[in-house]
Amino acid sequence: MKEFLFVFRGDWNSLPEVSEEETKSRTKKWMDWVGGIAAQNKLVTKGNRLMHHGKIVKKNLVTDGPFIEMKEFIGGFSIVKANSYDEAVELANGCPVLLMGGEVEVREINAF
């Protein structure tokens, strides 16, 4: 089996405030989705959220970033196992981020 990286992207700044009940509902959708992948023994790492701040490293230069003003940014990632891109895309297609207007970038990991 191959490993694939799911990168969760979205315009998080445009999401409306939600109630605590809606937050719990969204969390349950994520847990159910990740649990479904784990039940198939295809989960390598669970979905991890990323903080909104970080550093960008270039040759001889370190700057703050990514910047929250960006329209779209990476909110988290997971690594899954699948036999093909098609299978990985099928797994990604159930991701709750899609219900919030986000997207999942699917990238094969080159294990050398």
Side-chain angles (χ1 to χ4, degrees), residues 30-67:
W30 277 93
M31 298 303 290
D32 290 347
W33 176 67
V34 170
I37 294 171
Q40 298 174 60
N41 198 30
K42 294 182 179 178
L43 185 65
V44 177
T45 64
K46 65 182 176 102
N48 292 303
R49 292 174 51 185
L50 299 174
M51 300 303 293
H52 297 301
H53 58 278
K55 301 285 183 186
I56 296 180
V57 179
K58 297 181 183 180
K59 186 175 181 176
N60 300 322
L61 177 67
V62 177
T63 59
D64 289 331
F67 301 101

Side-chain angles (χ1 to χ4, degrees), residues 86-101:
D86 289 340
E87 183 181 355
V89 167
E90 185 178 325
L91 291 171
N93 198 37
C95 182
V97 77
L98 303 173
L99 301 173
M100 298 183 295

Side-chain angles (χ1 to χ4, degrees), residues 4-48:
F4 293 86
L5 173 70
F6 288 174
V7 179
F8 310 121
R9 298 179 183 276
D11 180 3
W12 313 122
N13 294 323
S14 70
L15 291 176
E17 291 288 325
V18 295
S19 67
E20 184 176 332
E21 192 171 301
E22 177 62 22
T23 299
K24 287 179 182 178
S25 174
R26 288 180 180 182
T27 300
K28 182 177 181 339
K29 287 176 185 171
W30 277 93
M31 298 303 290
D32 290 347
W33 176 67
V34 170
I37 294 171
Q40 298 174 60
N41 198 30
K42 294 182 179 178
L43 185 65
V44 177
T45 64
K46 65 182 176 102
N48 292 303

Side-chain angles (χ1 to χ4, degrees), residues 66-103:
F67 301 101
I68 199 72
E69 300 86 32
M70 294 173 54
K71 179 174 170 50
E72 179 185 280
F73 63 92
I74 297 171
F77 68 94
S78 289
I79 298 176
V80 301
K81 295 185 286 188
N83 291 311
S84 66
Y85 258 111
D86 289 340
E87 183 181 355
V89 167
E90 185 178 325
L91 291 171
N93 198 37
C95 182
V97 77
L98 303 173
L99 301 173
M100 298 183 295
E103 62 187 31

